[in-house]
Each structure stands twice: as structure tokens, then as C-alpha cells.
Amino acid sequence: MRLFIIGLFFLLQLYCIVTQLQKETKLFNWAMYHTNAHYSIAATINGTDLTDETFFARYRFKRRGSEGRSMEHIKRKITQYERWYGTNDTCVILIQYRENLKPKSWHWSNR
Amino acid sequence: MALVKPLNNIAARLFTINGSNMNSNLCLIVKLLSVAVLASPTFLNMGKPFLSYFEIVEFGLKGLPVHFIWKLIFYAAAVMILFNIAIRLNSVIMGLLIFTGLALSENVYSNNVFFCGCLFFLCGMSLPKYGTWPIIVQLMIMYFGAAIDKLFFESWRDGTFYTSFHGTSFYMRFLKGLFPSVNFAFIISWGTIVLEFAMVPLLFFRKSRRFALYTGLVFHLSTAFLGQTLYSVFIPALLISYIALLPGYDSFKLYNPEALSRFVYSQGFIKNTVTDGRNLQLQIGSTTFSNGWAKFRLFMMSPVFLYALVLLINLFLLPEIVRVVILFSAIGIAAAGMILSSGRFRLSAR
């Protein structure tokens, strides 16, 4: 039984490695330092711009920072929060980031 | 005086890495990881259900003291591991709690923490007869996953990632100054991919494991040195996991086990007289060491030294550069001692 569980545990990891290979999320697939992104997020809730403090209070991560796996995680956290907790708010997000030397941006709104 | 015996018993439990129902190397791994977990701030925010991967978890646990319960069990299990109490069960609990903590909040996800969870879980699931192969397979999977992900990512293949990550660092500017036409970022990127792939067969074959150990050490320590960071708990956890590649701690033959135990315990806060210290002999492989150098080698291998090192480099709020300096100072002292002792104080070679 122990060997079966250990074997299953390894197989699950191999499954994640294969299935996450072409996905942006990079979940449980040992993608380490996959990307080097520095980002800054402008968030507006019901017409009010969020400061560093109010942004952290809402999403519990920093408005400016760096991401070593995938920017998709930052996007997922924001969209997930708004889907679960911010259904009554009008949210507008603009993420400007520099990923592996390339400047990029991502615009999203829940309305 | 009345306190010496109970304190000695506590120390014995704390520093004993064999005699439990776990392989001695794995026992040392989970104990050192527990020290790291207790000292590191990385795990403090785990166990809070916020932006979970599953909606049912997020809303099903609302209002419950999940974070408090998670932390209580987590830190209690870490302490029990240190004192050899139900060490395998508590290791599995630690592993499962880390996986649960990761599932509870996307904000705390990191490979570093996941790696610690894997080590705890696998050590706890392993019977002594398994040896250390579960950790070795875990390392193989980790290197394979890291390598194949980089291989499929254009920014790693063309060196853009490395230019972005370390392009302006002192050593890259120094190398660029020496050889302006060479694309070091490209070479280092492909070197990393090849090395991570190579670690898989190197770890697989018993004969090449020692080479894998040295290769991995050079690779990871150079990333720590050049990046001037230990990447949260990753470098300490990885170095700890390499204990699985060492010969069994049980296999160190000691001519005077009592002197060893007295010596090891005397390195803690418990002061014992090392009555047999003068006759201490230590055999490692085919070489026998005595007295001063035997003590030095023992000290470097003793849990006391390793606990202190892991504790220091994971300590709360310690600046990153200080952690790096502590790690490299310890490695420097150990390496110098090993080199000095190997030539001069060899008693006999078999």
C-alpha cells in the first residue's frame, strides 16, 4: 500500500509536468524560474483607484513586484477574487509588465 | 546537577538520528527540515483559505479557525519530529499540511514550499527497508520537470530569460568585458537545461550518484552565490535533501561509540565531560581519523552543527545577503577542515 501511494504520488507529478507543459499556469510541474517578470498593477474599483495599501488589503499581494513562474498567476488571483468576492463591484485592471525583457500589458474588466 | 540527566535525555532525543523507525538519513532530513520550518517565516501565512483552487473549500471553510488549527498541528508536528515522537506519522502530517496549505490559497504557492512538502511526505511514507530511493526519485522528477519546462520555453532556449534575470549583474558585465562577442546568457541557459536533464540519469545510477551530488552542489551553490539569494527555503531544503545521496549515517563505523555520543551531546548546551575524548577514532570509508580531526569531522557531521546552520540560514527577518554569507562561511570552514584533516591526520588507510 505504501509503495502504491508513493508510486501514485510520483505519477501525479509526472502527469502535472506533461499536462502543464504548454499551459500558462505552470501548476505543480516544477517550472522554476520559468519567467522573469516585473509588474505594476493599476486597479480601479467603482471608479476609485486602489493605493498600495488598499490593493494589498483586497487581494493580499503587492501591487508592484516580480513573478518567477508565470504572470498568469497574478491574473488568475485578481479574476478569481472578483468572481468570488467582487460581484457587486465594477473592477477595471491594467497590468503593465516586463516579461523576459519584453514590455507587455493586460487589461481586464468584470463589466 | 539534578537537571543534567533530564536535559541529557532531551538532547538525546533531539540529536538522535538513528534508532527510530526511520532510515537514519531520512530521519536527519526531516529533523533538519523541521528546524528550517520552525525558523523560517515562509510558512507563517500558510493555512489561510483565501483564493483557493477549489470554490467549495473557499466557502465551505468560511468562519472556521482553519489558520489557527493548521498552524497548531503544523508546528506541533515539527516539534514532535525533532524529539523523535511518532516521527513517520508526523512527517506525513507535515507533508499533507503543506499540500493542504498550498491548496487553500494560491497566494502562497511556491515550488520551494511544495518541495518541502514532498520531502516530508515521502520520508514519512518510507519504511527503513526502502533506504533513500523515494527522495532520489523525487529529485529526479524535480530536475526532469525543471529541465523540460525550460526546453519548451523560447525565452530559455534563446537566452532571453537569463539576460533579463542576470544580464546586468557584476559577473555578466565582467564576462562581457572580457569576451564581448560571446553570448554568455545563451551558453548558461543551455548549460542549465543540459545539466538539469543530466541529473536524472546521474541520480538514477548508484555509481554516478556521488558525481550527481557534487554536480548538484556546485550548480545550486553557484546559483545562490551569483544570485546572492537562497531562494526562500529552496536552497536549504535542497541541500538537506542531498543527505539522501550520502552513505547511511549508520555506516560510519566508530571505534568508540560512547565517546561519539558523549561528544555529540556535549556540543549542545548540555555540558558533559568527554572522558574518552583522547581516544576518539573515526572511520570514514577507508580512512581513520583520531582525536582533534576526528572530533572536527564528527562535529561537521553532527546534527548539532547542521541544526545550528539550518536554523541560522532560515532565521526570521535575517537579510538575504547575511543568509548567503552564513551558508558559504560554514561551507568554507567545513571544506578547509576536511582538506586539512585528510592529508595530515590520517592514522591508517585500509
Short mmCIF file of all heavy atoms in Angstrom, two decimals, chain A residues 2-3 9-10 13 17 22 26-28 30-36 58-60 69 73 76-77 80 84-85 100, chain B residues 50 52-53 55 58 62 88 106-107 109 111 125 130 134 138 141 146 149-150 152-153 155-156 160-161 164-165 231:
data_model
loop_
_atom_site.label_atom_id
_atom_site.label_comp_id
_atom_site.label_asym_id
_atom_site.label_seq_id
_atom_site.Cartn_x
_atom_site.Cartn_y
_atom_site.Cartn_z
N ARG A 2 1.90 1.25 0.86
CA ARG A 2 2.80 2.41 0.92
C ARG A 2 3.46 2.66 -0.43
O ARG A 2 3.53 3.79 -0.92
CB ARG A 2 3.92 2.15 1.94
CG ARG A 2 3.53 2.40 3.31
CD ARG A 2 4.60 1.95 4.28
NE ARG A 2 4.10 2.10 5.61
CZ ARG A 2 4.11 3.23 6.28
NH1 ARG A 2 4.62 4.32 5.76
NH2 ARG A 2 3.62 3.30 7.49
N LEU A 3 3.94 1.57 -1.02
CA LEU A 3 4.61 1.71 -2.31
C LEU A 3 3.64 2.21 -3.38
O LEU A 3 4.01 3.00 -4.25
CB LEU A 3 5.21 0.35 -2.74
CG LEU A 3 6.47 -0.06 -1.99
CD1 LEU A 3 6.92 -1.45 -2.41
CD2 LEU A 3 7.60 0.93 -2.21
N PHE A 9 1.94 9.09 -6.12
CA PHE A 9 2.41 10.46 -5.88
C PHE A 9 3.38 10.91 -6.98
O PHE A 9 3.28 12.02 -7.50
CB PHE A 9 3.08 10.51 -4.50
CG PHE A 9 3.55 11.87 -4.08
CD1 PHE A 9 2.65 12.89 -3.86
CD2 PHE A 9 4.90 12.12 -3.90
CE1 PHE A 9 3.08 14.16 -3.47
CE2 PHE A 9 5.35 13.37 -3.50
CZ PHE A 9 4.43 14.39 -3.30
N PHE A 10 4.28 10.01 -7.35
CA PHE A 10 5.23 10.33 -8.43
C PHE A 10 4.51 10.45 -9.77
O PHE A 10 4.81 11.34 -10.57
CB PHE A 10 6.32 9.25 -8.52
CG PHE A 10 7.28 9.28 -7.36
CD1 PHE A 10 7.82 8.10 -6.85
CD2 PHE A 10 7.67 10.48 -6.78
CE1 PHE A 10 8.70 8.12 -5.79
CE2 PHE A 10 8.56 10.51 -5.72
CZ PHE A 10 9.07 9.33 -5.22
N GLN A 13 2.82 13.75 -10.20
CA GLN A 13 3.77 14.81 -10.54
C GLN A 13 4.14 14.76 -12.01
O GLN A 13 4.22 15.79 -12.68
CB GLN A 13 5.02 14.69 -9.67
CG GLN A 13 4.80 15.05 -8.22
CD GLN A 13 6.09 15.02 -7.44
OE1 GLN A 13 7.07 15.63 -7.82
NE2 GLN A 13 6.11 14.29 -6.34
N ILE A 17 3.62 17.55 -14.91
CA ILE A 17 4.71 18.02 -15.77
C ILE A 17 4.25 18.00 -17.23
O ILE A 17 4.44 18.96 -17.98
CB ILE A 17 5.98 17.14 -15.58
CG1 ILE A 17 6.61 17.43 -14.22
CG2 ILE A 17 6.99 17.39 -16.70
CD1 ILE A 17 7.73 16.48 -13.84
N GLN A 22 2.45 23.06 -21.84
CA GLN A 22 2.06 24.09 -22.79
C GLN A 22 1.07 25.09 -22.18
O GLN A 22 0.55 25.93 -22.90
CB GLN A 22 1.45 23.45 -24.04
CG GLN A 22 2.38 22.54 -24.81
CD GLN A 22 3.54 23.29 -25.48
OE1 GLN A 22 3.64 24.50 -25.39
NE2 GLN A 22 4.43 22.54 -26.12
N LYS A 26 1.36 26.66 -15.11
CA LYS A 26 2.55 26.03 -14.52
C LYS A 26 2.31 25.59 -13.07
O LYS A 26 3.03 25.97 -12.14
CB LYS A 26 3.75 27.00 -14.56
CG LYS A 26 4.09 27.48 -15.96
CD LYS A 26 4.68 26.39 -16.79
CE LYS A 26 4.84 26.78 -18.23
NZ LYS A 26 5.02 25.64 -19.12
N LEU A 27 1.27 24.80 -12.87
CA LEU A 27 0.94 24.35 -11.52
C LEU A 27 1.56 22.98 -11.23
O LEU A 27 1.37 22.03 -11.99
CB LEU A 27 -0.58 24.27 -11.35
CG LEU A 27 -1.31 25.61 -11.24
CD1 LEU A 27 -2.81 25.40 -11.29
CD2 LEU A 27 -0.92 26.34 -9.96
N PHE A 28 2.27 22.90 -10.13
CA PHE A 28 2.84 21.64 -9.63
C PHE A 28 3.63 20.90 -10.72
O PHE A 28 3.58 19.68 -10.80
CB PHE A 28 1.74 20.74 -9.07
CG PHE A 28 1.00 21.38 -7.93
CD1 PHE A 28 -0.21 22.01 -8.13
CD2 PHE A 28 1.53 21.37 -6.65
CE1 PHE A 28 -0.89 22.62 -7.08
CE2 PHE A 28 0.86 21.99 -5.60
CZ PHE A 28 -0.35 22.61 -5.81
N TRP A 30 7.04 21.80 -11.41
CA TRP A 30 8.45 22.09 -11.16
C TRP A 30 9.03 23.11 -12.15
O TRP A 30 10.24 23.08 -12.40
CB TRP A 30 9.29 20.81 -11.17
CG TRP A 30 8.88 19.88 -10.09
CD1 TRP A 30 8.32 18.65 -10.26
CD2 TRP A 30 8.95 20.09 -8.67
NE1 TRP A 30 8.02 18.09 -9.04
CE2 TRP A 30 8.40 18.95 -8.04
CE3 TRP A 30 9.41 21.13 -7.87
CZ2 TRP A 30 8.31 18.83 -6.67
CZ3 TRP A 30 9.31 21.00 -6.51
CH2 TRP A 30 8.78 19.87 -5.92
N ALA A 31 8.17 23.97 -12.70
CA ALA A 31 8.67 25.07 -13.54
C ALA A 31 9.30 26.09 -12.60
O ALA A 31 8.59 26.76 -11.86
CB ALA A 31 7.54 25.70 -14.33
N MET A 32 10.62 26.16 -12.62
CA MET A 32 11.29 27.07 -11.70
C MET A 32 12.02 28.14 -12.48
O MET A 32 12.74 27.85 -13.41
CB MET A 32 12.27 26.30 -10.82
CG MET A 32 11.56 25.62 -9.69
SD MET A 32 12.64 24.76 -8.60
CE MET A 32 12.76 23.19 -9.40
N TYR A 33 11.79 29.36 -12.09
CA TYR A 33 12.35 30.49 -12.82
C TYR A 33 12.08 30.34 -14.31
O TYR A 33 12.94 30.43 -15.15
CB TYR A 33 13.83 30.69 -12.46
CG TYR A 33 13.88 31.22 -11.06
CD1 TYR A 33 13.90 30.34 -10.00
CD2 TYR A 33 13.78 32.57 -10.82
CE1 TYR A 33 13.83 30.82 -8.70
CE2 TYR A 33 13.73 33.04 -9.52
CZ TYR A 33 13.75 32.17 -8.48
OH TYR A 33 13.68 32.66 -7.20
N HIS A 34 10.80 30.10 -14.55
CA HIS A 34 10.31 29.95 -15.91
C HIS A 34 10.33 31.31 -16.60
O HIS A 34 10.58 31.40 -17.80
CB HIS A 34 8.87 29.39 -15.83
CG HIS A 34 8.22 29.23 -17.14
ND1 HIS A 34 8.41 28.12 -17.91
CD2 HIS A 34 7.38 30.04 -17.83
CE1 HIS A 34 7.70 28.24 -19.01
NE2 HIS A 34 7.07 29.39 -19.00
N THR A 35 10.05 32.33 -15.84
CA THR A 35 9.96 33.66 -16.43
C THR A 35 10.51 34.69 -15.45
O THR A 35 10.64 34.42 -14.26
CB THR A 35 8.48 33.95 -16.77
OG1 THR A 35 8.43 35.13 -17.55
CG2 THR A 35 7.63 34.15 -15.53
N ASN A 36 10.87 35.85 -15.95
CA ASN A 36 11.32 36.93 -15.09
C ASN A 36 10.48 38.15 -15.43
O ASN A 36 10.73 38.82 -16.43
CB ASN A 36 12.81 37.20 -15.31
CG ASN A 36 13.32 38.29 -14.41
OD1 ASN A 36 12.91 38.41 -13.26
ND2 ASN A 36 14.21 39.11 -14.91
N ARG A 58 -7.16 44.18 -0.40
CA ARG A 58 -8.18 43.49 -1.20
C ARG A 58 -7.67 42.12 -1.70
O ARG A 58 -8.33 41.12 -1.53
CB ARG A 58 -8.56 44.37 -2.39
CG ARG A 58 -9.76 43.87 -3.19
CD ARG A 58 -10.13 44.88 -4.28
NE ARG A 58 -11.27 44.44 -5.07
CZ ARG A 58 -12.54 44.69 -4.77
NH1 ARG A 58 -12.83 45.37 -3.70
NH2 ARG A 58 -13.51 44.25 -5.55
N TYR A 59 -6.49 42.13 -2.29
CA TYR A 59 -6.01 40.90 -2.95
C TYR A 59 -4.96 40.13 -2.16
O TYR A 59 -4.60 39.02 -2.52
CB TYR A 59 -5.46 41.22 -4.34
CG TYR A 59 -6.46 41.89 -5.26
CD1 TYR A 59 -6.32 43.23 -5.60
CD2 TYR A 59 -7.53 41.19 -5.78
CE1 TYR A 59 -7.23 43.85 -6.45
CE2 TYR A 59 -8.45 41.80 -6.62
CZ TYR A 59 -8.30 43.14 -6.95
OH TYR A 59 -9.20 43.74 -7.78
N ARG A 60 -4.39 40.77 -1.13
CA ARG A 60 -3.36 40.18 -0.26
C ARG A 60 -2.07 39.81 -1.00
O ARG A 60 -1.41 38.82 -0.70
CB ARG A 60 -3.90 38.96 0.50
CG ARG A 60 -5.05 39.34 1.41
CD ARG A 60 -5.43 38.22 2.32
NE ARG A 60 -6.79 38.39 2.80
CZ ARG A 60 -7.46 37.45 3.44
NH1 ARG A 60 -6.91 36.28 3.68
NH2 ARG A 60 -8.69 37.67 3.84
N ARG A 69 7.28 32.54 -11.97
CA ARG A 69 6.70 31.38 -12.68
C ARG A 69 5.94 31.82 -13.92
O ARG A 69 6.37 31.56 -15.04
CB ARG A 69 5.78 30.60 -11.75
CG ARG A 69 6.52 29.64 -10.85
CD ARG A 69 5.55 28.74 -10.14
NE ARG A 69 4.56 29.52 -9.42
CZ ARG A 69 3.31 29.12 -9.19
NH1 ARG A 69 2.92 27.96 -9.60
NH2 ARG A 69 2.47 29.88 -8.53
N HIS A 73 -0.56 33.67 -13.04
CA HIS A 73 -0.96 33.53 -11.63
C HIS A 73 -1.50 34.85 -11.08
O HIS A 73 -2.47 34.87 -10.32
CB HIS A 73 0.21 33.05 -10.78
CG HIS A 73 0.59 31.65 -11.09
ND1 HIS A 73 -0.11 30.58 -10.62
CD2 HIS A 73 1.56 31.15 -11.87
CE1 HIS A 73 0.43 29.48 -11.09
NE2 HIS A 73 1.44 29.79 -11.85
N ARG A 76 -4.87 35.34 -12.61
CA ARG A 76 -5.83 34.39 -12.03
C ARG A 76 -6.31 34.85 -10.65
O ARG A 76 -7.49 34.75 -10.32
CB ARG A 76 -5.17 33.01 -11.86
CG ARG A 76 -5.47 32.03 -12.99
CD ARG A 76 -4.58 30.82 -12.83
NE ARG A 76 -4.81 30.15 -11.54
CZ ARG A 76 -5.59 29.09 -11.40
NH1 ARG A 76 -6.20 28.57 -12.43
NH2 ARG A 76 -5.72 28.52 -10.22
N LYS A 77 -5.35 35.35 -9.84
CA LYS A 77 -5.71 35.76 -8.48
C LYS A 77 -6.73 36.90 -8.53
O LYS A 77 -7.70 36.91 -7.77
CB LYS A 77 -4.45 36.23 -7.73
CG LYS A 77 -3.54 35.10 -7.30
CD LYS A 77 -2.32 35.69 -6.61
CE LYS A 77 -1.13 34.78 -6.70
NZ LYS A 77 0.09 35.39 -6.16
N GLN A 80 -10.11 35.67 -10.06
CA GLN A 80 -10.77 34.76 -9.12
C GLN A 80 -11.39 35.55 -7.95
O GLN A 80 -12.51 35.27 -7.54
CB GLN A 80 -9.76 33.75 -8.58
CG GLN A 80 -10.41 32.61 -7.84
CD GLN A 80 -9.65 31.32 -8.10
OE1 GLN A 80 -9.26 31.04 -9.22
NE2 GLN A 80 -9.41 30.55 -7.06
N TRP A 84 -15.41 35.75 -7.10
CA TRP A 84 -15.94 35.21 -5.84
C TRP A 84 -16.43 36.29 -4.88
O TRP A 84 -17.41 36.12 -4.18
CB TRP A 84 -14.89 34.36 -5.14
CG TRP A 84 -14.68 33.01 -5.77
CD1 TRP A 84 -15.42 32.46 -6.78
CD2 TRP A 84 -13.67 32.06 -5.44
NE1 TRP A 84 -14.92 31.22 -7.12
CE2 TRP A 84 -13.85 30.94 -6.30
CE3 TRP A 84 -12.63 32.02 -4.52
CZ2 TRP A 84 -13.03 29.81 -6.26
CZ3 TRP A 84 -11.82 30.89 -4.46
CH2 TRP A 84 -12.02 29.80 -5.33
N TYR A 85 -15.66 37.39 -4.80
CA TYR A 85 -15.97 38.38 -3.76
C TYR A 85 -16.41 39.74 -4.32
O TYR A 85 -16.94 40.55 -3.57
CB TYR A 85 -14.75 38.61 -2.86
CG TYR A 85 -14.30 37.37 -2.12
CD1 TYR A 85 -13.18 36.65 -2.53
CD2 TYR A 85 -14.99 36.92 -1.00
CE1 TYR A 85 -12.76 35.52 -1.86
CE2 TYR A 85 -14.58 35.79 -0.32
CZ TYR A 85 -13.46 35.09 -0.75
OH TYR A 85 -13.06 33.98 -0.10
N ASN A 100 10.71 38.84 -19.41
CA ASN A 100 11.90 38.45 -20.17
C ASN A 100 12.28 39.51 -21.20
O ASN A 100 12.41 39.24 -22.40
CB ASN A 100 11.68 37.09 -20.84
CG ASN A 100 11.44 36.00 -19.82
OD1 ASN A 100 11.94 36.06 -18.70
ND2 ASN A 100 10.65 35.02 -20.18
N PHE B 50 -7.85 31.47 1.28
CA PHE B 50 -8.09 32.71 0.52
C PHE B 50 -7.62 32.48 -0.91
O PHE B 50 -6.47 32.13 -1.14
CB PHE B 50 -7.31 33.87 1.16
CG PHE B 50 -7.53 35.18 0.43
CD1 PHE B 50 -8.74 35.85 0.52
CD2 PHE B 50 -6.53 35.71 -0.37
CE1 PHE B 50 -8.94 37.03 -0.16
CE2 PHE B 50 -6.73 36.90 -1.05
CZ PHE B 50 -7.94 37.56 -0.95
N SER B 52 -8.57 30.04 -2.93
CA SER B 52 -8.23 28.62 -3.00
C SER B 52 -8.40 28.12 -4.44
O SER B 52 -9.00 28.79 -5.27
CB SER B 52 -9.16 27.86 -2.06
OG SER B 52 -9.16 26.51 -2.38
N TYR B 53 -7.87 26.95 -4.68
CA TYR B 53 -8.04 26.36 -6.02
C TYR B 53 -9.46 25.81 -6.19
O TYR B 53 -9.87 25.54 -7.30
CB TYR B 53 -7.01 25.25 -6.25
CG TYR B 53 -5.61 25.77 -6.38
CD1 TYR B 53 -4.73 25.74 -5.31
CD2 TYR B 53 -5.18 26.34 -7.57
CE1 TYR B 53 -3.45 26.26 -5.43
CE2 TYR B 53 -3.90 26.86 -7.70
CZ TYR B 53 -3.04 26.81 -6.62
OH TYR B 53 -1.78 27.33 -6.74
N GLU B 55 -13.56 26.21 -5.15
CA GLU B 55 -14.58 27.11 -4.61
C GLU B 55 -15.23 26.52 -3.36
O GLU B 55 -15.49 27.21 -2.38
CB GLU B 55 -15.64 27.38 -5.69
CG GLU B 55 -16.53 28.56 -5.35
CD GLU B 55 -17.39 29.00 -6.52
OE1 GLU B 55 -17.18 28.50 -7.64
OE2 GLU B 55 -18.29 29.83 -6.29
N GLU B 58 -13.04 27.17 -0.41
CA GLU B 58 -13.03 28.59 -0.06
C GLU B 58 -14.25 28.97 0.80
O GLU B 58 -14.12 29.62 1.83
CB GLU B 58 -13.03 29.42 -1.36
CG GLU B 58 -12.96 30.91 -1.14
CD GLU B 58 -11.54 31.43 -1.08
OE1 GLU B 58 -10.61 30.64 -1.29
OE2 GLU B 58 -11.36 32.63 -0.80
N LYS B 62 -15.37 28.91 5.47
CA LYS B 62 -15.58 30.28 5.96
C LYS B 62 -16.03 30.28 7.43
O LYS B 62 -16.90 29.51 7.82
CB LYS B 62 -16.67 30.97 5.14
CG LYS B 62 -16.15 31.70 3.93
CD LYS B 62 -15.74 33.12 4.28
CE LYS B 62 -14.94 33.81 3.20
NZ LYS B 62 -13.59 33.29 3.00
N ARG B 88 7.51 9.16 11.79
CA ARG B 88 6.99 8.91 10.42
C ARG B 88 5.59 9.49 10.26
O ARG B 88 5.29 10.13 9.26
CB ARG B 88 7.02 7.41 10.12
CG ARG B 88 8.40 6.97 9.64
CD ARG B 88 8.36 5.71 8.82
NE ARG B 88 8.29 4.55 9.67
CZ ARG B 88 7.39 3.59 9.55
NH1 ARG B 88 6.46 3.67 8.63
NH2 ARG B 88 7.41 2.57 10.36
N GLU B 106 -3.89 30.31 -3.37
CA GLU B 106 -2.95 30.44 -4.48
C GLU B 106 -1.85 31.45 -4.15
O GLU B 106 -0.77 31.40 -4.72
CB GLU B 106 -3.70 30.86 -5.74
CG GLU B 106 -2.81 30.83 -6.97
CD GLU B 106 -3.56 30.81 -8.29
OE1 GLU B 106 -4.77 30.63 -8.27
OE2 GLU B 106 -2.89 30.95 -9.32
N ASN B 107 -2.13 32.34 -3.20
CA ASN B 107 -1.15 33.37 -2.84
C ASN B 107 0.14 32.78 -2.27
O ASN B 107 1.18 33.41 -2.33
CB ASN B 107 -1.75 34.33 -1.81
CG ASN B 107 -2.47 35.49 -2.48
OD1 ASN B 107 -2.51 35.56 -3.71
ND2 ASN B 107 -3.04 36.37 -1.70
N TYR B 109 1.41 29.74 -3.05
CA TYR B 109 2.02 28.67 -3.86
C TYR B 109 3.46 29.00 -4.19
O TYR B 109 3.78 30.09 -4.65
CB TYR B 109 1.26 28.42 -5.17
CG TYR B 109 1.89 27.29 -5.95
CD1 TYR B 109 1.49 25.98 -5.74
CD2 TYR B 109 2.95 27.51 -6.82
CE1 TYR B 109 2.11 24.93 -6.39
CE2 TYR B 109 3.59 26.47 -7.48
CZ TYR B 109 3.16 25.19 -7.26
OH TYR B 109 3.79 24.15 -7.90
N ASN B 111 7.20 26.63 -5.52
CA ASN B 111 7.86 25.33 -5.66
C ASN B 111 8.68 24.99 -4.43
O ASN B 111 8.83 23.82 -4.08
CB ASN B 111 8.77 25.35 -6.90
CG ASN B 111 7.98 25.17 -8.17
OD1 ASN B 111 7.17 24.27 -8.30
ND2 ASN B 111 8.20 26.06 -9.13
N MET B 125 6.41 8.37 4.52
CA MET B 125 5.82 7.18 3.91
C MET B 125 6.83 6.04 3.78
O MET B 125 6.45 4.90 3.54
CB MET B 125 5.27 7.51 2.51
CG MET B 125 4.01 8.35 2.50
SD MET B 125 2.63 7.59 3.35
CE MET B 125 2.28 6.21 2.27
N TYR B 130 13.24 0.68 2.69
CA TYR B 130 13.25 1.34 1.37
C TYR B 130 14.56 2.08 1.12
O TYR B 130 14.86 2.43 -0.01
CB TYR B 130 12.11 2.37 1.25
CG TYR B 130 10.70 1.81 1.30
CD1 TYR B 130 9.61 2.67 1.35
CD2 TYR B 130 10.46 0.44 1.29
CE1 TYR B 130 8.31 2.18 1.40
CE2 TYR B 130 9.18 -0.06 1.36
CZ TYR B 130 8.10 0.81 1.42
OH TYR B 130 6.83 0.33 1.48
N PRO B 134 13.05 6.89 -2.37
CA PRO B 134 11.94 7.81 -2.67
C PRO B 134 12.41 9.27 -2.84
O PRO B 134 11.90 9.99 -3.69
CB PRO B 134 11.01 7.67 -1.46
CG PRO B 134 11.29 6.30 -0.94
CD PRO B 134 12.76 6.12 -1.14
N GLN B 138 12.30 11.56 -6.20
CA GLN B 138 11.71 12.91 -6.13
C GLN B 138 12.64 13.94 -6.76
O GLN B 138 12.21 14.81 -7.52
CB GLN B 138 11.42 13.27 -4.67
CG GLN B 138 10.80 14.63 -4.47
CD GLN B 138 9.49 14.79 -5.22
OE1 GLN B 138 8.53 14.10 -4.96
NE2 GLN B 138 9.45 15.68 -6.20
N ILE B 141 12.54 13.58 -10.56
CA ILE B 141 11.32 14.17 -11.14
C ILE B 141 11.43 15.70 -11.15
O ILE B 141 11.07 16.35 -12.13
CB ILE B 141 10.07 13.70 -10.36
CG1 ILE B 141 9.82 12.22 -10.63
CG2 ILE B 141 8.84 14.52 -10.73
CD1 ILE B 141 8.69 11.60 -9.82
N ALA B 146 11.89 20.58 -14.25
CA ALA B 146 12.50 21.90 -14.43
C ALA B 146 13.17 21.99 -15.80
O ALA B 146 13.07 23.02 -16.49
CB ALA B 146 13.53 22.14 -13.33
N ASP B 149 10.55 21.92 -18.87
CA ASP B 149 9.81 23.18 -18.94
C ASP B 149 10.66 24.26 -19.61
O ASP B 149 10.17 25.03 -20.44
CB ASP B 149 9.40 23.62 -17.53
CG ASP B 149 8.60 24.89 -17.56
OD1 ASP B 149 7.44 24.83 -18.00
OD2 ASP B 149 9.14 25.95 -17.19
N LYS B 150 11.93 24.30 -19.25
CA LYS B 150 12.83 25.29 -19.86
C LYS B 150 13.03 25.00 -21.35
O LYS B 150 13.07 25.91 -22.17
CB LYS B 150 14.18 25.28 -19.14
CG LYS B 150 14.12 25.82 -17.72
CD LYS B 150 15.49 25.78 -17.07
CE LYS B 150 15.47 26.37 -15.67
NZ LYS B 150 14.95 25.45 -14.66
N PHE B 152 11.00 23.76 -23.44
CA PHE B 152 9.84 24.13 -24.24
C PHE B 152 9.54 25.63 -24.20
O PHE B 152 8.53 26.06 -24.73
CB PHE B 152 8.60 23.34 -23.76
CG PHE B 152 8.49 21.98 -24.39
CD1 PHE B 152 9.30 20.94 -23.96
CD2 PHE B 152 7.60 21.73 -25.43
CE1 PHE B 152 9.22 19.69 -24.54
CE2 PHE B 152 7.51 20.48 -26.01
CZ PHE B 152 8.33 19.46 -25.56
N PHE B 153 10.40 26.39 -23.57
CA PHE B 153 10.15 27.82 -23.41
C PHE B 153 11.19 28.61 -24.20
O PHE B 153 12.39 28.52 -23.92
CB PHE B 153 10.21 28.17 -21.91
CG PHE B 153 9.67 29.53 -21.59
CD1 PHE B 153 8.45 29.97 -22.10
CD2 PHE B 153 10.37 30.39 -20.77
CE1 PHE B 153 7.95 31.22 -21.79
CE2 PHE B 153 9.88 31.64 -20.45
CZ PHE B 153 8.66 32.06 -20.97
N SER B 155 12.10 31.68 -24.35
CA SER B 155 12.97 32.64 -23.66
C SER B 155 14.14 31.97 -22.96
O SER B 155 15.16 32.61 -22.68
CB SER B 155 12.16 33.45 -22.64
OG SER B 155 11.28 34.30 -23.30
N TRP B 156 14.00 30.69 -22.63
CA TRP B 156 15.13 29.96 -22.06
C TRP B 156 16.04 29.46 -23.17
O TRP B 156 17.26 29.49 -23.04
CB TRP B 156 14.65 28.76 -21.20
CG TRP B 156 14.66 29.09 -19.75
CD1 TRP B 156 13.61 29.53 -19.01
CD2 TRP B 156 15.78 29.03 -18.84
NE1 TRP B 156 13.99 29.75 -17.71
CE2 TRP B 156 15.32 29.45 -17.58
CE3 TRP B 156 17.12 28.67 -18.98
CZ2 TRP B 156 16.14 29.52 -16.46
CZ3 TRP B 156 17.95 28.73 -17.86
CH2 TRP B 156 17.47 29.15 -16.63
N THR B 160 17.11 34.72 -23.53
CA THR B 160 16.49 36.00 -23.13
C THR B 160 16.19 36.02 -21.64
O THR B 160 16.36 37.04 -20.97
CB THR B 160 15.17 36.24 -23.90
OG1 THR B 160 15.36 35.87 -25.24
CG2 THR B 160 14.75 37.69 -23.82
N PHE B 161 15.71 34.89 -21.13
CA PHE B 161 15.38 34.84 -19.70
C PHE B 161 16.62 35.20 -18.87
O PHE B 161 16.56 36.02 -17.96
CB PHE B 161 14.88 33.45 -19.28
CG PHE B 161 14.81 33.31 -17.78
CD1 PHE B 161 13.72 33.78 -17.08
CD2 PHE B 161 15.88 32.75 -17.08
CE1 PHE B 161 13.68 33.69 -15.69
CE2 PHE B 161 15.84 32.66 -15.69
CZ PHE B 161 14.74 33.12 -15.00
N SER B 164 17.56 38.74 -19.01
CA SER B 164 16.63 39.53 -18.21
C SER B 164 16.89 39.37 -16.72
O SER B 164 16.79 40.31 -15.95
CB SER B 164 15.21 39.09 -18.55
OG SER B 164 14.31 39.46 -17.57
N PHE B 165 17.26 38.16 -16.33
CA PHE B 165 17.41 37.83 -14.91
C PHE B 165 18.74 38.31 -14.33
O PHE B 165 18.80 38.88 -13.25
CB PHE B 165 17.27 36.31 -14.75
CG PHE B 165 17.03 35.86 -13.34
CD1 PHE B 165 16.04 36.44 -12.57
CD2 PHE B 165 17.77 34.83 -12.79
CE1 PHE B 165 15.80 36.03 -11.27
CE2 PHE B 165 17.55 34.41 -11.49
CZ PHE B 165 16.56 35.00 -10.73
N TYR B 231 16.87 31.77 -2.32
CA TYR B 231 15.55 31.49 -2.89
C TYR B 231 14.59 30.95 -1.82
O TYR B 231 14.14 29.81 -1.91
CB TYR B 231 15.66 30.53 -4.09
CG TYR B 231 16.57 31.04 -5.17
CD1 TYR B 231 17.89 30.59 -5.26
CD2 TYR B 231 16.14 32.00 -6.06
CE1 TYR B 231 18.75 31.09 -6.24
CE2 TYR B 231 16.99 32.50 -7.04
CZ TYR B 231 18.29 32.04 -7.12
OH TYR B 231 19.13 32.54 -8.07
#
